[in-house]
């Protein structure tokens, strides 16, 4: 069994020495959302509808993998959420798997293994597929569902960056609205519950639900089988598999499709009701309300007449299904709305008549009223069980990362058969106000989770004023999600598998000036929240190899990458020259009492000035890059005992940690990643409640990382690490515009 292997122990991860592990991770990489060939970054309209695509070369070239993984490891990340899409595996057609892409991916994973990452695999999707404005599912799935992606633009069944008249003017975050438009609503409804809500949708003798789910699960299983057969990856570096990214219920549980659901928080641009979307999808003109997103949320701006000019979002009756090799049942008629065929509405008399506004509000078999919670506990869990069974049939001991719908109540699985002891709750969280406005507002923010859980009589009471209150609110929301998970899903680790900030704030002000102070504040606030959440780690969103200042992440105008080739890296001295006597520190067997500024339980451990028996290899300077001050932070990685709390004060450059040690174990210290950017050797002060410690350099495969090892006694233990020389004025200077040249491509 590999030394990288970890296991789930209750609500923690532990290593072979029974130390608690914190996963300090990042998503690699957003580039995997779109094909390599042809170049289908979302602002590129050329060959968009070309079905002959290839993802070989994504997320980056094999010859560049060392560079990217070395950079991320040098920045202290020990975990990767590895992004892949269903489309990458099965883009050529049902059951036609891209063996070349699988071989390429195995090669990339082998490079990652050299850098000792923990990796869990993420079958990524956003708003179903690229052709409906996101990424994930193969093109042929839309045709299998009877939809015609070439007519999505005029019918507004989906708003797609590639087909926007002027891609440079694509409204920020407009892509998210596709979740509440016809194409995405239809695909997710069919995927989860086609048998119940679209019984006429039969293809190759099975309902479209079974057809879609079976192909998705089988493709992922085949991918897992190929990785397993390759050897040396599953279990050694791949610790787990996540369920489908950001599942959405589609139409399931909407009580009245003629109105906007109360729980729909985002309205931007045109905002049709589900019924209006069906009308537009049938080629009929309709007047739709328009919305914008301001500092206090969405507000109506007027109306707009959308005229599809007779184009249908559905395939014509003449469409030839044989080109895909499937057979569509004659009872499923092409050339008309699938939902009209099921009696939801009717236009046969020249007028659009809504017949069953509550068609999706109840389970047709049981009559049980559906809401998002009901969807999660039934349709979502049914799929998750099948997916888990398929992956576990290949990788029997793998950890399953269960990701329920974002921001919704998690499943009530505690104490049931779904309360899997080898499961992790995967959660996403973004500061919505900052993400949608692309501005770090230091004056006010909103407790979104509190609003969604009915904590306030009015959203007005959810307002948080002042930056300190905003930071605490973010921390409280993440802590609430951790507690809610324990109450509803049981005792499992929780990982925030997506969290991040937009870098193109304030009309790309930082790119024009080099001033990243807003990004530093926002990133620091998010990490402050993570550190106080009592979660078991995170995977920051994200890392994009092909980022540039003009198009950001190359996908729908998003710009969340912590890396960009356009930001020139400025060398900053991170480590003292290791030929200095105090560059590494031996453990002390006794304490030297000194006055502590903050706690009587902490005592200073004075490092000896004698030479060390550890490596003397000179470390290369680390680099400051895109607000790296905020994400290059000390983190406990191995805790010999139970972690109680930890945090990093960026302004004071001070790290604190509290734990409860189970037993004295000199051979198994607690270990803290200690970035030399903040804590250069010779300028770092350590105070601990007892035991002995050392600062040492961990070397492996061209990477050198600074860690602090701490051998502590049994029971409560505290440690504080601080930069000796950083002052308030120095911190203020640190946040001034970087004196590096920025390029706008």
């Amino acid at each position: 069994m590999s030394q990288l292997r970890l296991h789930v122990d209750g609500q923690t991860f532990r290593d072979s020495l029974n130390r608690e592990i914190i996963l300090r991770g990042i998503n690699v990489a957003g580039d995997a959302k779109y094909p390599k060939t042809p170049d289908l970054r979302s602002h590129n309209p050329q060959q968009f509808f070309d079905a002959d695509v290839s993802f070989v070369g994504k997320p980056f070239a094999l010859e560049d993998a060392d560079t990217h993984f070395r950079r991320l490891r040098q920045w202290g990340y020990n975990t990767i959420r590895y992004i892949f899409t269903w489309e990458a595996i099965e883009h050529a057609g049902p059951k036609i798997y891209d063996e070349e892409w699988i071989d390429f991916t195995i090669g990339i994973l082998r490079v990652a293994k050299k850098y000792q990452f923990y990796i869990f695999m993420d079958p990524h999707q956003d708003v179903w597929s690229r052709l409906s404005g996101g990424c994930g599912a193969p093109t042929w799935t839309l045709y299998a569902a009877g939809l015609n992606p070439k007519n999505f633009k005029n019918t507004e069944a989906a708003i797609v960056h590639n087909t926007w008249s002027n891609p440079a003017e694509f409204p920020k975050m407009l892509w998210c609205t596709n979740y509440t438009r016809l194409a995405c609503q239809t695909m997710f409804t069919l995927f989860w519950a086609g048998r119940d809500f679209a019984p006429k949708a039969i293809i190759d003798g099975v309902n479209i639900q079974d057809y879609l789910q079976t192909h998705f699960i089988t493709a992922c299983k085949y991918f897992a089988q190929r990785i397993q057969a390759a050897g040396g990856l599953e279990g050694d570096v791949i610790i787990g598999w996540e369920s489908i990214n950001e599942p959405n219920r589609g139409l399931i549980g909407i009580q009245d499709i003629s109105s906007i659901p109360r729980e729909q928080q985002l309205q931007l641009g045109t905002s049709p009701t589900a019924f209006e979307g069906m009308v537009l999808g049938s080629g009929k003109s309709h007047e739709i309300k328009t919305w914008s997103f301001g500092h206090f949320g969405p507000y109506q701006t007027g109306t707009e007449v959308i005229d599809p000019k007779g184009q249908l979002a559905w395939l014509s009756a003449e469409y030839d299904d044989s080109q895909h090799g499937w057979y569509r049942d004659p009872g499923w008629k092409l050339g008309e709305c699938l939902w009209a065929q099921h009696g939801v509405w009717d236009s046969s008399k020249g007028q659009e008549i809504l017949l069953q506004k509550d068609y999706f509000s109840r389970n047709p078999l049981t009559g049980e009223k559906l809401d998002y919670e009901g969807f999660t506990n039934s349709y979502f869990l049914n799929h998750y069980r099948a997916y888990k069974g398929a992956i576990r049939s290949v990788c029997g001991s793998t950890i399953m990362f269960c990701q329920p719908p974002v921001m919704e109540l998690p499943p009530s699985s505690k104490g049931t058969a779904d309360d899997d002891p080898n499961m992790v709750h995967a959660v996403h969280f973004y500061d919505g106000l900052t993400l949608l406005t692309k501005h770090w507002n230091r004056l006010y923010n909103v407790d979104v989770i509190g609003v969604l859980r009915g904590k306030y009589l009015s959203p007005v009471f959810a307002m948080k004023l002042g930056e300190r209150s905003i930071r605490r609110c973010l921390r409280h929301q993440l802590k609430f999600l951790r507690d809610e998970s324990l109450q509803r899903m049981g005792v499992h680790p929780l990982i925030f598998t997506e969290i991040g900030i937009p870098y193109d704030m304030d009309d790309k002000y930082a790119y024009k000036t080099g001033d990243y102070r807003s990004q530093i504040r926002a990133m620091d606030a998010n990490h402050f929240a993570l550190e106080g959440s009592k979660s078991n780690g995170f995977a920051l969103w994200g890392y994009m190899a092909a980022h540039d200042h003009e198009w950001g992440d190359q996908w729908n105008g998003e710009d969340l990458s912590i890396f960009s080739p356009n930001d020139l890296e400025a060398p900053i001295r991170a480590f003292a020259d290791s030929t200095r006597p105090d560059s590494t520190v031996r453990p002390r067997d006794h304490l030297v009492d000194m006055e502590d500024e903050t706690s009587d339980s902490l005592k200073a451990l004075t490092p000896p000035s004698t030479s060390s028996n550890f490596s003397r290899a000179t470390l290369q300077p680390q680099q400051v890059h895109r607000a790296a001050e905020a994400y290059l932070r000390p983190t406990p990685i191995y805790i010999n005992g139970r972690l109680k709390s930890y945090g990093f004060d960026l302004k004071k450059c001070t790290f604190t940690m509290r734990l409860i040690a189970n037993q004295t174990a000199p051979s198994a210290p607690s270990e803290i990643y200690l970035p030399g950017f903040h804590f250069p050797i010779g300028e770092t002060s350590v105070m601990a409640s007892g035991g002995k410690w050392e600062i040492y350099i961990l070397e492996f495969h061209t990477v050198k990382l600074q860690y602090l090892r701490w051998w502590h006694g049994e029971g409560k233990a505290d440690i504080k690490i601080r930069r000796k020389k950083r002052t308030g004025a120095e911190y203020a200077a640190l946040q001034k515009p970087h004196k590096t040249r920025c390029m706008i491509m």
Side-chain angles (χ1 to χ4, degrees):
M1 183 176 292
S2 167
Q3 62 177 346
L4 294 182
R5 187 69 172 178
L6 53 73
H7 63 276
V8 174
D9 178 23
Q11 66 183 73
T12 64
F13 297 107
R14 295 200 175 270
D15 68 359
S16 59
L17 299 176
N18 201 37
R19 294 180 297 181
E20 182 178 346
I21 296 176
I22 298 296
L23 302 185
R24 188 176 192 275
I26 190 161
N27 282 266
V28 177
D31 310 76
K33 290 184 176 186
Y34 54 88
K36 174 70 174 179
T37 309
D39 179 6
L40 287 174
R41 292 173 288 180
S42 71
H43 57 272
N44 188 353
Q46 304 299 322
Q47 298 178 282
F48 177 58
F49 294 105
D50 191 341
D52 186 16
V53 301
S54 172
F55 286 76
V56 175
K58 288 303 183 85
F60 33 69
L62 186 60
E63 57 267 26
D64 297 331
D66 263 301
T67 298
H68 294 296
F69 289 133
R70 184 186 303 114
R71 176 182 293 123
L72 291 170
R73 203 63 171 96
Q74 193 67 57
W75 287 349
Y77 293 105
N78 67 350
T79 302
I80 285 173
R81 183 183 187 233
Y82 193 87
I83 309 300
F84 72 93
T85 63
W86 178 11
E87 183 182 21
I89 305 172
E90 202 175 5
H91 54 82
K95 296 184 180 179
I96 304 174
Y97 302 136
D98 191 333
E99 302 287 354
E100 184 182 1
W101 174 82
I102 294 175
D103 288 336
F104 170 82
T105 303
I106 289 172
I108 293 285
L109 293 170
R110 290 204 186 283
V111 178
K113 180 181 178 179
K114 294 188 296 184
Y115 294 91
Q116 301 182 17
F117 286 107
Y118 302 110
I119 291 179
F120 57 99
M121 307 297 289
D122 165 41
H124 206 82
Q125 77 80 35
D126 298 282
V127 292
W128 188 258
S129 96
R130 287 186 302 107
L131 274 74
S132 52
C135 70
T139 297
W140 57 261
T141 61
L142 292 159
Y143 291 98
L147 289 163
N148 183 0
K150 295 181 179 179
N151 289 348
F152 286 173
K153 179 178 180 179
N154 285 352
T155 60
E156 293 205 356
I159 304 294
V160 181
H161 194 193
N162 300 79
T163 61
W164 193 260
S165 298
N166 184 352
E169 297 178 357
F170 190 68
K172 55 190 177 185
M173 300 306 294
L174 184 65
W175 72 268
C176 299
T177 67
N178 284 319
Y179 277 115
T180 54
R181 297 180 187 272
L182 177 66
C184 193
Q185 285 182 326
T186 294
M187 291 308 303
F188 272 114
T189 305
L190 297 180
F191 182 80
W192 304 114
R195 288 198 303 267
D196 289 349
F197 293 106
K200 295 181 180 180
I202 304 298
I203 186 169
D204 279 355
V206 299
N207 186 269
I208 187 65
Q209 171 186 336
D210 301 299
Y211 191 80
L212 294 172
Q213 285 204 33
T214 298
H215 278 288
F216 169 73
I217 292 172
T218 303
C220 292
K221 178 181 177 180
Y222 182 77
F223 184 30
Q225 288 172 327
R226 291 277 277 104
I227 291 174
Q228 182 77 287
L233 292 174
E234 183 64 45
D236 291 334
V237 61
I238 298 175
I239 62 169
W241 290 73
E242 193 167 358
S243 56
I244 190 169
N245 181 71
E246 297 192 351
N248 184 273
R249 66 176 175 173
L251 294 161
I252 301 167
I254 296 181
Q255 302 301 303
D256 180 358
I257 63 171
S258 67
S259 63
I260 299 294
R262 179 184 58 81
E263 62 271 19
Q264 183 176 323
Q265 300 297 313
L266 178 61
Q267 295 192 74
L268 187 63
T270 53
S271 184
T273 66
F275 176 51
E276 289 171 336
M278 294 174 188
V279 172
L280 292 173
S282 294
K284 303 180 187 304
S285 175
H286 203 82
E287 185 176 13
I288 306 296
K289 292 179 180 179
T290 59
W291 293 71
S292 187
F293 197 93
H295 293 298
F296 295 96
Y299 62 93
Q300 187 177 343
T301 57
T303 62
E304 181 180 341
V305 175
I306 307 300
D307 185 4
K309 295 181 170 51
Q311 287 190 353
L312 272 65
W314 304 94
L315 293 172
S316 69
E318 293 75 32
Y319 186 77
D320 183 10
D321 276 324
S322 64
Q323 61 184 298
H324 301 286
W326 58 57
Y327 173 76
R328 196 182 306 268
D329 189 273
W332 183 358
K333 299 178 182 179
L334 296 182
E336 59 183 84
C337 175
L338 177 63
W339 304 120
Q341 293 182 57
H342 285 87
V344 178
W345 69 289
D346 179 63
S347 62
S348 61
K349 298 180 181 179
Q351 184 179 2
E352 296 78 42
I353 301 173
L354 179 57
L355 302 175
Q356 299 184 70
K357 67 179 183 180
D358 59 350
Y359 182 77
F360 302 97
S361 66
R362 296 181 181 275
N363 185 310
L365 301 180
T366 66
E368 181 182 0
K369 184 178 178 180
L370 290 169
D371 53 15
Y372 232 125
E373 183 180 5
F375 161 78
T376 300
N377 281 303
S378 56
Y379 297 107
F380 167 77
L381 274 184
N382 289 339
H383 165 75
Y384 173 73
R385 293 178 190 121
Y387 174 78
K388 178 180 73 172
I391 297 298
R392 285 266 177 84
S393 71
V394 178
C395 320
S397 61
T398 199
I399 300 169
M400 296 304 302
F401 288 69
C402 177
Q403 185 188 155
V406 177
M407 303 290 234
E408 301 294 336
L409 286 168
S412 302
S413 54
K414 183 176 181 179
T416 71
D418 296 309
D419 196 353
D420 178 1
N422 202 26
M423 178 180 72
V424 172
H425 184 189
V427 180
H428 289 186
F429 180 88
Y430 290 95
D431 171 9
L433 191 64
T434 301
L435 189 64
L436 289 165
T437 63
K438 297 200 174 186
H439 170 71
W440 174 246
N441 190 329
R442 298 173 61 187
L443 299 179
Y444 61 85
N445 207 310
V446 179
D447 178 4
V448 175
I449 294 296
V451 172
L452 292 174
R453 298 298 186 268
K455 178 180 177 181
Y456 305 100
L457 293 176
S458 167
V460 173
F461 299 115
M463 297 287 293
K464 304 299 176 183
L465 305 179
E467 191 165 21
R468 179 175 294 183
S469 179
I470 291 168
R471 288 164 59 89
R472 289 175 177 173
C473 177
L474 292 174
R475 173 176 280 198
H476 174 78
Q477 290 179 79
L478 269 58
K479 177 62 165 56
F480 178 91
L481 293 173
R482 163 76 278 193
D483 293 341
E484 183 179 69
S485 173
L486 292 170
Q487 293 166 7
R488 296 180 64 89
M489 293 185 70
V491 180
H492 306 281
L494 181 143
I495 297 292
F496 288 97
T497 57
E498 283 190 28
I499 187 169
I501 66 161
Y503 274 83
D504 56 341
M505 294 181 186
D506 305 315
D507 297 320
K508 302 185 179 182
Y509 177 78
Y511 297 165
K512 302 169 187 175
T513 64
D515 183 350
Y516 281 85
R517 280 177 290 182
S518 289
Q519 289 83 352
I520 291 171
R521 288 182 179 276
M523 184 66 82
D524 183 48
N526 276 259
H527 278 80
F528 172 81
L530 285 166
E531 290 161 358
S533 68
K534 295 189 180 296
S535 67
N536 305 92
F538 64 91
L540 193 70
W541 187 276
Y543 185 90
M544 286 75 187
H547 180 281
D548 63 42
H549 283 182
E550 182 179 6
W551 295 106
D553 297 343
Q554 315 294 309
W555 186 83
N556 280 324
E558 283 201 346
D559 194 334
L560 287 85
S561 178
I562 66 168
F563 169 75
S564 176
N566 283 180
D567 286 291
L568 300 182
E569 297 177 321
I572 291 182
R573 184 173 64 88
F575 299 97
D577 188 335
S578 60
T579 60
R580 289 178 52 174
D582 60 349
S583 62
T584 55
V585 179
R586 280 200 216 153
R588 289 293 297 261
D589 294 324
H590 63 279
L591 295 176
V592 178
D593 292 330
M594 293 181 64
E595 183 179 358
D596 179 17
E597 299 174 353
T598 58
S599 172
D600 292 336
S601 67
L602 291 175
K603 299 178 181 178
L605 299 176
T606 306
S609 59
T610 56
S611 62
S612 169
N613 58 355
F614 288 89
S615 168
R616 290 188 171 281
T618 301
L619 293 171
Q620 298 300 316
Q622 286 185 292
Q623 311 291 320
V624 63
H625 185 82
R626 289 172 69 83
E629 294 93 328
Y631 64 76
L632 282 174
R633 6 189 357 113
T635 307
I637 301 299
Y638 303 103
I639 304 97
N640 183 14
R642 178 160 53 92
L643 181 64
K644 293 293 290 181
S645 64
Y646 76 98
F648 177 56
D649 187 321
L650 178 59
K651 184 176 181 178
K652 296 179 180 179
C653 201
T654 300
F655 172 82
T656 56
M657 181 176 75
R658 176 168 294 176
L659 58 87
I660 298 178
N662 296 327
Q663 58 183 359
T664 302
S667 62
S670 295
E671 300 191 35
I672 301 165
Y673 163 63
L674 200 64
F677 176 85
H678 290 296
F679 298 99
I681 293 175
E683 299 178 22
T684 298
S685 169
V686 180
M687 305 181 75
S689 56
K692 54 187 180 180
W693 59 271
E694 67 180 8
I695 295 175
Y696 78 106
I697 306 307
L698 174 67
E699 298 183 54
F700 58 91
H701 195 67
T702 73
V703 172
K704 300 178 179 69
L705 294 175
Q706 181 172 275
Y707 276 73
L708 183 141
R709 285 176 176 153
W710 178 27
W711 289 264
H712 43 74
E714 187 175 359
K716 295 180 180 179
D718 302 83
I719 194 167
K720 178 164 70 173
I721 309 167
R722 63 181 180 181
R723 173 83 169 269
K724 290 180 181 178
K725 299 180 181 180
R726 181 169 294 176
T727 65
E730 184 184 11
Y731 173 76
L734 186 67
Q735 292 202 22
K736 288 182 178 179
H738 298 318
K739 302 301 182 181
T740 59
R741 181 166 60 92
C742 293
M743 300 182 297
I744 299 180
M745 305 297 288

